C-alpha cells in the first residue's frame, strides 16, 4: 500500500462513476441517432440524477434507503479495487454484492412489480455471474495472476487472441449490466412494459438517484474488465470498452426482450460452455 | 455550483407519466407521436415513464368519470413533488362533448390541480410539447420564488 | 494443565450427559447444561492458548483406553446389528455385519500396528474443530433448553424424554472433541462410530414413524461410511503397520504407493459430510427437533467428514486422487446449491446449502496445498457458526408460526423481528464480501487453479448460492405481510441466537487473520496476496454500515408511500381496491424455477454423476 495506490484508488472513486454517467449519455445519444432522432444532450444522465436528487417522496420501505447506500458503497468499492490494481475476482464479488442489495431493497418494498423485478434481477445474476467469473478466470490464467495490474501488464500480445471464446459471455454480461434488450428483463429499460420499472419500481427520489450512480459505477467496472482483452495501452483499452458498448447498443436496438427462461436455459449455458471451453483450452496449451 | 446544477437539472429532465383517463385515444396517439423521430421530445430530456414514483409531469388525456377519478387522484398522490399536471385535449380541459354525460365529472381539474391546459380535439403534438415547456417555465418560476 | 483441559473437553460432557439422565428437574438440568457450556468454552479457550501441542493423557493413551477403543469397534457394530434385527432393516444389518467382519479381521488377521507415541496432537485444524464444537455446539445445547420444553408441550408427552435427549446431546460434544484430538486411528474410528450412534439416537428421538425412518437412514448410510473407514484403516495397517495419524499424513510415506486407503477414508468422510449422493441422511435430519438439526449441520457430525478430509489433505496435494476429490467436492457444491435454489422448505434450503459448503471444503482438501487447507479450515469454522445461527433462527421462527415453508415465513420481520433479522444477517454472511464465507470461497477458487473444471463448477455454484440466500433474506424482509402480534421469546433462546450472531460477524471479519494463522510459519508474517485486500474492505463495510444505520434511523420514522399497483388504490396493506370497490387480497410467491432446479429430477442426475466421481476416486487409486 503506497501513495501511488492511494492516488489511483481516489481517482477510481471519483472518475469511475463520472465515466459511467458519460457512458449512459453516449448510450442515449447513439441510440437516438440509430433511430434517426436527435436525442438528448450528452450530459442528460447527470441532469436526470440532479433532478431526482431534489425530489421529495415517501419511501416505499423503511429499509430501502439503507440498501441503496450499501449498493452504492459496494459499487464504488469495486471501482476502487479495480483502479488500485486489486484482485479482479474480489472486485467482481464486491460488485455482485451491490446487485444483491438492489434486489433486497426491492424485496422490502411494497409494490408487486418491484418484487417481480427482484426475482428477475436474481435470475439475471444467476445467468451472467458464472460466465463473467469464468471469463475472469480465463484472463487470470492467460496473464498469470488475478490482480488487475498483472493482467494489464502481461500483454505482449492482446489477451483477445488467447481468449476469443469468452467474448460472447462478456458481451452477454455487458448487455445484462447495461440493462439492454434482449436482457432488460429485471428493470425494463424502455417505458410502459408489463413489469413497469421492475426492480427499480419502488425506488424514487434521492434513493433512485444514488442507485443510478451505483449503476454507472457498475457499468464502468464491467466495461473495464472487458477492456482487459486488449490492454496494450490506455487508448486501446478505451477503444475495447467502446467496442463492447457499441455492440451492446446495436444489439439493444435490433432485438426484442427475451424471457428469463430463455436467458437461463439457453443463453447462459451456451455462453458458459464457450467460456469453459476456452479455459480448458488454455490448460491444454 | 452544486446547488445551481440541481436547480438547472429540475427543468432539464421532465419525466412524463401519461394517463389515459377515458380519452377516445385521439389525444393519446398525438401524445405518443411526440416520441417519434419527427418530434423527438427526448431532445428536451423528456422520457415517458410508466411509474408515478419516477414521474415529474402527469399528462392526462380524456374526461374524468366516477370510476377513474380515484385512480387519477391516486396516481397524482404517488408522484413526488415538485410536480406538474398537463390536461391534454378538450375532454381533459373541460370534459369536452362528454361533459353532460351522467357518469362524467368533467375536466380533470375537478379532481387534481392542473398547471397547463392544452386545447384541441385532438391536441396537436406541437401544442403538447409547448405545454411541457410552458409547464417547466412555471416550475422554474416556482423554484426561483422558493429561493 | 493440558491433560486437564483435554479431560474436561472430552470427559466432562459425557459425564454431564450421564448426570442429566438422573436429573428430572428442569432447573437442575438447565444449570447443568449452562455449566457444561461454560466449562467447555473455558477449556477450549485454555487449550487454544497452549496450541500447537502434543500430549498423552492417560484416558486416551493407556493400554486400557486402547483396549476400550478396540472393543468399541466391535460393540458399536454389534449394537447397530441389534437395531437392524429389531427393525428388520436389511441395509443396517448388512453394513453392521461387514463392519464386524472387518473389525475381526483387523484384530485377528493382521499384526497389530506400532504403538502410537503421542495420543493427542492439537494443531490448527484440531483446535478449529474443538473450538467449533465447544463454542457453537454448547450454544446450541443452551438453545435446546427452552426449545425442548416447548417441543414437549406441543407433543403432550406423559413422561419427559428430555433427560435422554440432553444426555446424548452433551455426550455427542465430548465424542466430537475426542475425535478432533485423537492421534490414534483406532481411537479416532471409535469416536467416529460414537458420533454415528449419537446421530441415530437424536434423529429418532421423537419416536414418530418419520423420525424412526430418518434415524435408520442416517444409521445405514453412516455405517456404510464406517465400512469404508474400517477398510481404509485395515489397508493402512497392512501396508504400513501404522496407526499414528500424524505419521500417516506425511506425503513422503506415500511416494510410489497406491493411495487406495486414503481414497477409502475420503469416501467415508464424504458420507459423513453428506456429499452427493449421500445427502439423503442429512435431509432426514431436518425432521428432528431444531437443536438436533442445528448440531448435526453446523458443529458436529458433518464436520467429522470435512475434518477427516482436511487431515488427509497433505497427502493429496498434486495427486490424481486429490484432483478427483476436488472435482467431487466442487460437484457437490454445484449440485447441492442448485438443489437448494429449487426449494421452498427453509430447512431443506439450509440442508442443501450445508452439503454444498462442505463440498467446497472437501474441494479444498483435494487441492491439498497449505493455502487451500487454510482456506478450508476458515470455511469450516465460519460455516459452523453461520449455519448454527441460521438453524436456530429458522427453528425459532418455525416454533412461532408452525411452518418451515419459506412462503409462510414471508415478512417474518414483522412478527419475530430479532430472529428474522438475525437470520437475514446470517444468510448475508453466507455470501457477502468481505465476510469469511465469501473470502473462503474466493480463496478456494483461486487455489483451485490446477483444476479448471472444478473452478467452473465453483463459479456456477457460487452464483446459485448468492441467488438462494438473497431470495431467502428478501422473503423474510418482504414488505407486504401484515404485522401480527409478535411471538413471545425466551432469553435462553434469543441469548444463543444473538451470541452466535456476534460470533458470525466477528469470525467473518477475523477470517483473513485466521487464515494467516493457519498457514505454515514463514508465509504467515503478512496477510498473503489478495487477503490483504480484505481489511480495507472491512473498513468500507463498517462505514457503509454506519451510513446505512443513519439512513435507516431517519427513514424508519417516515410515513411509507402507498404501493404502486398500476394506479389502483390500496385500502389496507396487502390488498387493493378493485372493480366495484371490492377489496382484493394481494398474494405473492417466489419463483423457484422447479423446471430447472426441481428436486426429483436433479437429485437423480446429480446422484449418478456424483457416484461416478466417487467410483473414479476409489477406482483411480486402485489402478
Amino acid at each position: 500500500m503506497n501513495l501511488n495506490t492511494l492516488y489511483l484508488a481516489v481517482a477510481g472513486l471519483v472518475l469511475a462513476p463520472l465515466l459511467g454517467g458519460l457512458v449512459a449519455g453516449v448510450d442515449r445519444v447513439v441510440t437516438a441517432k440509430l433511430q434517426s432522432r436527435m436525442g438528448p444532450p450528452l450530459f442528460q444522465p447527470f441532469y436526470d440524477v440532479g433532478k431526482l436528487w431534489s425530489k421529495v417522496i415517501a419511501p416505499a420501505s423503511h429499509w430501502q434507503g439503507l440498501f441503496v447506500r450499501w449498493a452504492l458503497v459496494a459499487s464504488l468499492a469495486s471501482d476502487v479495487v479495480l483502479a488500485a490494481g486489486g484482485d479482479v475476482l474480489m472486485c467482481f464479488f464486491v460488485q455482485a454484492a451491490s446487485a444483491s442489495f438492489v434486489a433486497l431493497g426491492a424485496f422490502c418494498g411494497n409494490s408487486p412489480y418491484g418484487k417481480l423485478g427482484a426475482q428477475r434481477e436474481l435470475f439475471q445474476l444467476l445467468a451472467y455471474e458464472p460466465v463473467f467469473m469464468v471469463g475472469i478466470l480465463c484472463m487470470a490464467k492467460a496473464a498469470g495472476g488475478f490482480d488487475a495490474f498483472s493482467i494489464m501488464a502481461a500483454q505482449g500480445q492482446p489477451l483477445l487472441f488467447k481468449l476469443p471464446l469468452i467474448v460472447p459471455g462478456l458481451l452477454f454480461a455487458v448487455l445484462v449490466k447495461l440493462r439492454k434488450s434482449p436482457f432488460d428483463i429485471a428493470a425494463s429499460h424502455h417505458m410502459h412494459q408489463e413489469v413497469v420499472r421492475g426492480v427499480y419500481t419502488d425506488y424514487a427520489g434521492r434513493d433512485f438517484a444514488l442507485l443510478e450512480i451505483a449503476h454507472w459505477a457498475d457499468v464502468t467496472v464491467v466495461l473495464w474488465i472487458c477492456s482487459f482483452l486488449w490492454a496494450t495501452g490506455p487508448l486501446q483499452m478505451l477503444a475495447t470498452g467502446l467496442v463492447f458498448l457499441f455492440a451492446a447498443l446495436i444489439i439493444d436496438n435490433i432485438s426484442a426482450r427475451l424471457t428469463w427462461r430463455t436467458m437461463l436455459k439457453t443463453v447462459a449455458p451456451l455462453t458458459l460452455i464457450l467460456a469453459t471451453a476456452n479455459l480448458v483450452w488454455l490448460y491444454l496449451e | 455550483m452544486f446547488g445551481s446544477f440541481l436547480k438547472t437539472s429540475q427543468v432539464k429532465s421532465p419525466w412524463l407519466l401519461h394517463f389515459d383517463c377515458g380519452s377516445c385515444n385521439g389525444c393519446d396517439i398525438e401524445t405518443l407521436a411526440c416520441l417519434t423521430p419527427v418530434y423527438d421530445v427526448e431532445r428536451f430530456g423528456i422520457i415517458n415513464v410508466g411509474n408515478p414514483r419516477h414521474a415529474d409531469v402527469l399528462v392526462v388525456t380524456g374526461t374524468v368519470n366516477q370510476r377513474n377519478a380515484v385512480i387519477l387522484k391516486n396516481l397524482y398522490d404517488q408522484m413526488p413533488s415538485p410536480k406538474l399536471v398537463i390536461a391534454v385535449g378538450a375532454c381533459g380541459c373541460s370534459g369536452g362533448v362528454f361533459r353532460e354525460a351522467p357518469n362524467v365529472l368533467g375536466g380533470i381539474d375537478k379532481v387534481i390541480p392542473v398547471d397547463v391546459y392544452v386545447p384541441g380535439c385532438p391536441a396537436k403534438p406541437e401544442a403538447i410539447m409547448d405545454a411541457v415547456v410552458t409547464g417547466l417555465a412555471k416550475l422554474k418560476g416556482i423554484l426561483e420564488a422558493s429561493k | 494443565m493440558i491433560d486437564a483441559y483435554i479431560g474436561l473437553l472430552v470427559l466432562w460432557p459425557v459425564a454431564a450427559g450421564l448426570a442429566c439422565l438422573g436429573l428430572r428437574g428442569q432447573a437442575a438440568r438447565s444449570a447443568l447444561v449452562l455449566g457444561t457450556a461454560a466449562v467447555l468454552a473455558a477449556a477450549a479457550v485454555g487449550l487454544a492458548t497452549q496450541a500447537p501441542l502434543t500430549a498423552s493423557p492417560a484416558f486416551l493413551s493407556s493400554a486400557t483406553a486402547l483396549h476400550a477403543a478396540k472393543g468399541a469397534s466391535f460393540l458399536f457394530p454389534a449394537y447397530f446389528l441389534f437395531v437392524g434385527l429389531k427393525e428388520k432393516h436389511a441395509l443396517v444389518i448388512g453394513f453392521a455385519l461387514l463392519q464386524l467382519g472387518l473389525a475381526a479381521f483387523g484384530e485377528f488377521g493382521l499384526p497389530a500396528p506400532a504403538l502410537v507415541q503421542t495420543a493427542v496432537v492439537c494443531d490448527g485444524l484440531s483446535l478449529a474443530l474443538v473450538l467449533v464444537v465447544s463454542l457453537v455446539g454448547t450454544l446450541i445445547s443452551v438453545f435446546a433448553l427452552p426449545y425442548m420444553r416447548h417441543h414437549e408441550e406441543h407433543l403432550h408427552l406423559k413422561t419427559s424424554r428430555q433427560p435422554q435427549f440432553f444426555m446424548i446431546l452433551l455426550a455427542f460434544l465430548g465424542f466430537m472433541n475426542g475425535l478432533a484430538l485423537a492421534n490414534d486411528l483406532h481411537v479416532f474410528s471409535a469416536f467416529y462410530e460414537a458420533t454415528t450412534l449419537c446421530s441415530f439416537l437424536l434423529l429418532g428421538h421423537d419416536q414418530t414413524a418419520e423420525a424412526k425412518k430418518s434415524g435408520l437412514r442416517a444409521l445405514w448410510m453412516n455405517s456404510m461410511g464406517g465400512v469404508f473407514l474400517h477398510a481404509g484403516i485395515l489397508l493402512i495397517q497392512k501396508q504400513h503397520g501404522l496407526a499414528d495419524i500424524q505419521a500417516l499424513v506425511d506425503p513422503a510415506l506415500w511416494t510410489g504407493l497406491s493411495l487406495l486407503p486414503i481414497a477409502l477414508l475420503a469416501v467415508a468422510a464424504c458420507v459423513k459430510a453428506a456429499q452427493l449422493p449421500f445427502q439423503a441422511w442429512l435431509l432426514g435430519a431436518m425432521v428432528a427437533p431444531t437443536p438436533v438439526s442445528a448440531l448435526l449441520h453446523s458443529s458436529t457430525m458433518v464436520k467429522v467428514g470435512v475434518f477427516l478430509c482436511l487431515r488427509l489433505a497433505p497427502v493429496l496435494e498434486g495427486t490424481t486422487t486429490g484432483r478427483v476429490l476436488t472435482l467431487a467436492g466442487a460437484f457437490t457444491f454445484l449440485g447441492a446449491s442448485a438443489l437448494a435454489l429449487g426449494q421452498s422448505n427453509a430447512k431443506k434450503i439450509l440442508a442443501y446449502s450445508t452439503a454444498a459448503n462442505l463440498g467446497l471444503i472437501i474441494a479444498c482438501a483435494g487441492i491439498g496445498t497449505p493455502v487451500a487447507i487454510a482456506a478450508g479450515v476458515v470455511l469450516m469454522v465460519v460455516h459452523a457458526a453461520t449455519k448454527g445461527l441460521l438453524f436456530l433462527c429458522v427453528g425459532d421462527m418455525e416454533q412461532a408460526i408452525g411452518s418451515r415453508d419459506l412462503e409462510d415465513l414471508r415478512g417474518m420481520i414483522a412478527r419475530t423481528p430479532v430472529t428474522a433479522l438475525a437470520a437475514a444477517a446470517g444468510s448475508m454472511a453466507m455470501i457477502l464480501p468481505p465476510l469469511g464465507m465469501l473470502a473462503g470461497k474466493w480463496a478456494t477458487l483461486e487455489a483451485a487453479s490446477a483444476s479448471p473444471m472444478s473452478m467452473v463448477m465453483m463459479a456456477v455454484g457460487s452464483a446459485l448460492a448468492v441467488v438462494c440466500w438473497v431470495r431467502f433474506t428478501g422473503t423474510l424482509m418482504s414488505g407486504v405481510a401484515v404485522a401480527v402480534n409478535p411471538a413471545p421469546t425466551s432469553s435462553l433462546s434469543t441469548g444463543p441466537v444473538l451470541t452466535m450472531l456476534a460470533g458470525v460477524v466477528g469470525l467473518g471479519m477475523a477470517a483473513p487473520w485466521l487464515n494467516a494463522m493457519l498457514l505454515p510459519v514463514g508465509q504467515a508474517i503478512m496477510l498473503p496476496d489478495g487477503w490483504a485486500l480484505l481489511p480495507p474492505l472491512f473498513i468500507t463495510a463498517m462505514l457503509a454500515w454506519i451510513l446505512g444505520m443513519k439512513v435507516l434511523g431517519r427513514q424508519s420514522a417516515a410515513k411509507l408511500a402507498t404501493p404502486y399497483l398500476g394506479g389502483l388504490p390500496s385500502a389496507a396493506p396487502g390488498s387493493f381496491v378493485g372493480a366495484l370497490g371490492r377489496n382484493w387480497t394481494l398474494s405473492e410467491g417466489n419463483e423457484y424455477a422447479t423446471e430447472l432446479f426441481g428436486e426429483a429430477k436433479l437429485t437423480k442426475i446429480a446422484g449418478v454423476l456424483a457416484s461416478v466421481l466417487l467410483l473414479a476416486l476409489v477406482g483411480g487409486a486402485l489402478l
Side-chain angles (χ1 to χ4, degrees), chain C residues 43-241:
Chain C
V45 172
L47 195 69
T49 58
Q50 311 280 324
L53 55 87
T54 56
S56 291
F59 74 98
L60 281 177
S61 60
S62 66
T64 336
L66 294 180
H67 280 304
K70 285 257 168 60
S73 64
F74 289 95
L75 277 177
F76 284 119
Y79 178 72
F80 299 158
L81 184 63
F82 167 71
V83 171
L85 288 172
K86 202 175 91 186
E87 303 289 339
K88 300 197 178 55
H89 198 292
L91 284 166
V92 173
I93 299 173
F95 286 120
L97 282 175
L98 263 176
Q99 277 198 35
L100 278 175
L102 286 171
F105 180 71
E107 187 58 34
F108 307 113
L110 287 175
L115 206 62
V116 178
Q117 294 307 315
T118 44
V120 168
V121 173
C122 181
D123 56 0
L125 176 60
S126 314
L127 188 64
L129 188 59
V130 168
L131 284 171
V132 162
V133 171
S134 308
L135 299 178
V136 180
T138 51
L139 274 179
I140 294 171
S141 314
V142 173
F143 174 87
L145 288 168
Y147 185 95
M148 288 312 287
R149 203 165 59 232
H150 282 295
H151 187 69
E152 293 207 332
E153 276 165 20
H154 185 69
L155 291 179
H156 308 297
L157 290 185
K158 277 204 193 73
T159 50
S160 166
R161 303 191 59 245
Q162 286 186 57
Q164 293 96 309
F165 182 82
F166 280 96
M167 174 185 81
I168 310 165
L169 204 65
L170 292 182
F172 203 158
L173 299 180
F175 295 145
M176 284 297 297
N177 277 333
L179 181 137
L181 294 169
N183 187 37
D184 186 322
L185 260 183
H186 294 105
V187 179
F188 178 88
S189 95
F191 281 123
Y192 180 101
E193 296 299 343
T195 60
T196 300
L197 175 66
C198 284
S199 67
F200 163 67
L201 293 174
L202 284 175
L203 287 177
H205 177 76
D206 276 350
Q207 294 185 317
T208 57
E210 205 186 2
K212 237 178 205 166
K213 205 173 132 216
S214 65
L216 282 172
R217 191 192 299 125
L219 184 59
W220 81 254
M221 283 195 151
N222 282 307
S223 31
M224 177 172 69
V227 171
F228 283 112
L229 182 79
H230 278 297
I233 293 177
L234 285 188
L235 276 177
I236 290 172
Q237 200 176 335
K238 187 156 171 276
Q239 273 184 11
H240 302 289

Side-chain angles (χ1 to χ4, degrees), chain A residues 58-130:
Chain A
S61 153
H62 296 311
W63 294 93
Q64 275 181 352
L66 171 124
F67 284 125
V68 163
R69 274 139 190 101
W70 284 2
L72 179 64
V73 171
S75 293
L76 291 176
S78 66
D79 275 326
V80 170
V81 169
L82 207 54
D87 190 289
V88 180
L89 205 55
M90 184 47 99
C91 156
F92 182 68
F93 279 129
V94 174
Q95 195 275 325
S98 162
S100 317
F101 289 137
V102 174
L104 270 178
F107 268 115
C108 294
N110 50 18
S111 168
Y113 299 103
K115 295 187 186 184
L116 181 69
Q119 304 269 343
R120 291 186 175 190
E121 176 79 2
L122 291 181
F123 283 128
Q124 282 191 346
L125 196 72
L126 181 57
Y128 83 82
E129 199 179 272

Side-chain angles (χ1 to χ4, degrees), chain C residues 430-477:
Chain C
M430 296 288 292
I431 52 169
L432 281 190
L435 293 174
M437 286 304 288
L438 191 275
K441 205 186 287 178
W442 160 72
T444 314
L445 245 171
E446 296 196 354
S449 59
S451 172
M453 284 321 287
S454 54
M455 282 203 292
V456 173
M457 288 197 273
M458 283 178 208
V460 182
S462 150
L464 287 163
V466 169
V467 173
C468 179
W469 288 116
V470 173
R471 192 176 63 191
F472 184 85
T473 313
T475 311
L476 292 181
M477 297 184 74

